[in-house]
Amino acid sequence: MCHFMGDENQTIEIQFHFHPFSPILEVQMFIFVAFLLMYTGSLIGNATIFLTVWAERSLHIPMYFFLANLAVLEIFYSSTVAPLALVNLLTMGRIPISFTGCGTQMFFFVFLGSADCIFLGIMAYDGFVAIRDPLHYTLIMRRRLCAQLAVGALVLGFIVALQLTVLIFHLPFCGHNRITHFYCDVLPILRLACGDTRTQETMIFIASVIILTIPFSLISMSYFFIVVAILKIHSAEGRHKAFTTCSSHLTVVLLQYGCCSLIYLRPSSSYNPEMGRVVSVVYTFVTPVLNPLIYSIRNKELKDALSKIMKRHLLN
């Protein structure tokens, strides 16, 4: 069965099937419960962060503006992957996804995932400015600049996602269409194509460098200067607060970028579908639930604001 985009007479609508994690129903159910708990935790945690920042005026500063945006991104990003993955876990991979549906899922996954990675880079820059030049912080990180950076992250993610999705889904797909994955990721779909994929592989590598390597390099540089600036802080309490805020951000960054780099910053020929599927669980289910936990548990201002809002509502 083939699907040739651009050739009306030969176009046959195909469907993709997801290969189960295990042929054993009990194992599938265990993974289903784990995924469901992480997805639910992600939705509750990220929604809580967004609503707390939105409701508390004292948090209307650049750092929390970016954090609230990241939380909303994480909600949509998780929701691009989780519902279909959960359905297929329950049905042992019997529910297929259409050609159009697969392309749509890939587009939103790449779009939101790319914007997510860029946002982490922007947040590192924001932290660098806050610690490096606290007196001029509000002058540098003006509301307009923050909005421009947020829109820029979304626009860049949109462009990368559109280019990759169009390139990949213009390929002919022949033979079996069983994906060794739980969503329509770039590399597993590319492996099913029966045409020449060198152009697509080059574009994936370029996109990965833009989305992963460049922001991570900027984050690394920012953290070098941040550590230097923190060491110059005279008060032990000030140093501890700065280290706590930055180390929580760095934990998320290393998980997100580390796992994504393992998959996308290597030759497509060396891609291992089984390993790819396991590693991608980290950045599709684990980091979205860790983000709110790390940022809220290790952030006194956010915890205080949440307590204040809860007390206010309980008293009313």
Side-chain angles (χ1 to χ4, degrees):
M1 189 182 287
C2 290
H3 193 300
F4 290 95
M5 292 292 289
D7 191 341
E8 298 281 328
N9 298 325
Q10 294 185 56
T11 300
I12 301 168
E13 184 63 35
I14 64 167
Q15 293 182 320
F16 295 101
H17 292 262
F18 297 102
H19 192 69
F21 275 89
S22 168
I24 304 163
L25 183 63
E26 287 77 9
V27 174
Q28 288 281 105
M29 289 304 101
F30 175 78
I31 296 168
F32 170 81
V33 171
F35 277 19
L36 182 62
L37 289 172
M38 285 189 282
Y39 178 52
T40 308
S42 166
L43 293 180
I44 294 168
N46 284 299
T48 302
I49 284 182
F50 172 75
L51 292 170
T52 304
V53 173
W54 178 73
E56 185 53 51
R57 288 190 64 83
S58 65
L59 299 180
H60 291 184
I61 58 172
M63 175 187 170
Y64 294 105
F65 167 77
F66 293 127
L67 185 57
N69 275 276
L70 183 71
V72 173
L73 263 181
E74 294 281 12
I75 289 170
F76 286 108
Y77 173 68
S78 299
S79 300
T80 300
V81 172
L84 187 63
L86 291 168
V87 168
N88 272 286
L89 280 164
L90 274 179
T91 60
M92 299 293 285
R94 283 194 291 270
I95 304 293
I97 186 169
S98 69
F99 189 85
T100 308
C102 194
T104 304
Q105 187 185 45
M106 183 188 289
F107 168 77
F108 281 104
F109 171 74
V110 177
F111 166 39
L112 297 167
S114 299
D116 196 294
C117 287
I118 298 163
F119 257 98
L120 289 172
I122 292 169
M123 288 173 73
Y125 172 71
D126 174 65
F128 163 68
V129 174
I131 290 169
R132 178 88 170 171
D133 199 357
L135 296 175
H136 298 101
Y137 174 68
T138 49
L139 288 171
I140 298 166
M141 299 301 292
R142 295 185 306 277
R143 186 173 290 185
R144 187 179 174 186
L145 176 64
C146 293
Q148 286 171 338
L149 288 169
V151 170
L154 293 171
V155 168
L156 185 56
F158 181 89
I159 292 167
V160 168
L162 190 64
Q163 285 185 328
L164 280 183
T165 308
V166 169
L167 269 174
I168 289 169
F169 281 87
H170 262 73
L171 287 165
F173 290 86
C174 309
H176 86 95
N177 293 303
R178 202 159 185 80
I179 308 168
T180 309
H181 219 301
F182 53 91
Y183 64 94
C184 291
D185 198 2
V186 175
L187 294 174
I189 297 296
L190 196 63
R191 286 172 70 90
L192 298 178
C194 53
D196 183 2
T197 60
R198 282 175 297 183
T199 303
Q200 285 77 6
E201 285 172 21
T202 305
M203 275 305 298
I204 291 167
F205 183 75
I206 292 168
S208 301
V209 168
I210 293 167
I211 298 302
L212 297 172
T213 310
I214 294 174
F216 188 71
S217 300
L218 291 171
I219 288 168
S220 301
M221 284 168 60
S222 292
Y223 271 98
F224 172 76
F225 289 113
I226 285 169
V227 169
V228 170
I230 289 172
L231 293 173
K232 289 179 182 175
I233 297 172
H234 296 298
S235 73
E237 189 185 341
R239 276 200 305 273
H240 176 72
K241 185 184 176 184
F243 264 124
T244 302
T245 304
C246 294
S247 62
S248 61
H249 178 249
L250 195 57
T251 306
V252 177
V253 164
L254 290 174
L255 264 178
Q256 183 91 353
Y257 282 91
C259 292
C260 287
S261 299
L262 265 177
I263 301 299
Y264 301 108
L265 286 176
R266 57 192 297 176
S268 300
S269 56
S270 66
Y271 176 74
N272 182 318
E274 290 295 343
M275 190 199 82
R277 181 163 60 172
V278 172
V279 172
S280 63
V281 169
V282 175
Y283 55 81
T284 53
F285 281 95
V286 179
T287 55
V289 77
L290 277 184
N291 264 344
L293 284 173
I294 288 170
Y295 281 115
S296 57
I297 289 170
R298 304 195 67 177
N299 190 307
K300 190 176 183 296
E301 287 174 335
L302 202 61
K303 280 193 289 187
D304 290 349
L306 186 57
S307 299
K308 196 193 296 183
I309 291 164
M310 288 176 77
K311 281 175 188 173
R312 200 187 300 156
H313 282 283
L314 285 170
L315 289 171
N316 290 341

